[in-house]
Amino acid sequence: MPQVLLVEDDAAIRVALTRSLHEQGHAVSSAVSGMAALGAAVAQKPDVVLLDLGLPDIDGADVLSMLRAVSDVPVIVATARDDEAEIVRMLDLGADDYVIKPFTAAQLNARIRAVLRRTDRGEAEEPIELGGLHIDTRSREVTVDGEPVDLARKEFDLLLALARRAGEVVTKRDLLAEVWQLAWGGSDRTVDVHLSWLRRKLGESAKQPRFLHSVRGVGVRLAAPE
């Protein structure tokens, strides 16, 4: 039974969501503030966190940032904020999905199942080796020529998405859909910025690529150095 940590300060919404999640087959615990949520996430180690942004003590975005510093638990942001820039910001901070209130119990359950499927797939994969690049999908650790590479969550997710399709040119639209769950929109600039950070950490640049090769007007390809 999936363990869901519900972070929601509105009592009526919290009770309704807890009931509906129970009916969908989830075990649910809850927190009404950001600091309580951080403590519960570390102590309980839930399978997924459902996070509201409008909390009474600290903003949900700060909760997400602090949570990402200590845990890779999947996080679904559930909020009334529907601004695209805010959605992109939360996904860049490490959210795995973003659902806008109001939503149905069936929709939320589908989002949880999808996030857990992606997590399970990553844990089941064998490490990926590519010309001195080693990606451990279980521990989310990366090395280049045996030297560790410290990647942020989205940088790792981007690298892994490309590694799963090594040798193939992947469009930025596909990367937005897979890494940021923005199949319906989003800016290519998000991908460009993260690719720039990733290149720097892998010891290369767009002009002198080693692993990441841009194809103008198409996308990017991950390949072993020649």
Side-chain angles (χ1 to χ4, degrees):
M1 180 180 293
Q3 307 290 314
V4 178
L5 173 59
L6 172 62
V7 187
E8 172 63 65
D9 68 316
D10 187 295
I13 295 176
R14 189 170 63 252
V15 169
L17 282 178
T18 298
R19 182 186 303 113
S20 64
L21 289 169
H22 276 308
E23 291 172 351
Q24 297 285 348
H26 302 290
V28 183
S29 60
S30 63
V32 300
S33 68
M35 295 310 297
L38 289 168
V42 172
Q44 299 173 14
K45 294 181 171 51
D47 295 304
V48 62
V49 174
L50 188 61
L51 177 64
D52 184 30
L53 296 181
L55 300 173
D57 53 348
I58 54 177
D59 190 76
D62 296 323
V63 175
L64 178 58
S65 295
M66 289 187 281
L67 184 57
R68 279 290 159 258
V70 297
S71 173
D72 280 330
V73 60
V75 176
I76 300 174
V77 172
T79 180
R81 301 180 192 176
D82 60 357
D83 179 69
E84 180 179 343
E86 182 73 351
I87 295 172
V88 172
R89 186 170 77 95
M90 292 304 101
L91 293 170
D92 283 346
L93 282 175
D96 295 87
D97 202 352
Y98 193 108
V99 59
I100 299 170
K101 297 175 181 177
F103 46 78
T104 66
Q107 179 188 3
L108 182 58
N109 187 45
R111 301 280 188 133
I112 292 173
R113 292 200 312 268
V115 165
L116 292 178
R117 280 197 304 270
R118 291 196 296 269
T119 304
D120 290 342
R121 181 178 68 173
E123 292 177 350
E125 283 182 308
E126 293 299 316
I128 298 173
E129 297 274 0
L130 193 71
L133 174 66
H134 177 91
I135 305 171
D136 191 320
T137 59
R138 291 183 174 87
S139 66
R140 296 177 65 86
E141 294 176 343
V142 175
T143 60
V144 173
D145 299 330
E147 294 297 319
V149 180
D150 184 19
L151 298 182
R153 182 181 178 84
K154 284 301 180 185
E155 293 166 355
F156 180 90
D157 291 344
L158 176 59
L159 180 62
L160 183 57
L162 291 167
R164 285 173 175 150
R165 299 164 67 175
E168 177 183 345
V169 179
V170 185
T171 69
K172 293 177 183 177
R173 193 59 44 190
D174 285 344
L175 291 170
L176 280 169
E178 182 170 347
V179 179
W180 285 271
Q181 287 78 56
L182 289 175
W184 49 267
S187 171
D188 289 355
R189 181 62 179 162
T190 298
V191 179
D192 292 336
V193 170
H194 283 77
L195 280 172
S196 176
W197 294 340
L198 186 55
R199 283 193 174 101
R200 184 169 65 249
K201 291 184 178 181
L202 293 178
E204 61 178 68
S205 67
K207 292 183 178 180
Q208 295 182 310
R210 182 181 178 189
F211 298 102
L212 299 169
H213 302 267
S214 294
V215 180
R216 182 180 293 275
V218 184
V220 63
R221 173 174 58 90
L222 180 70
E226 296 181 357

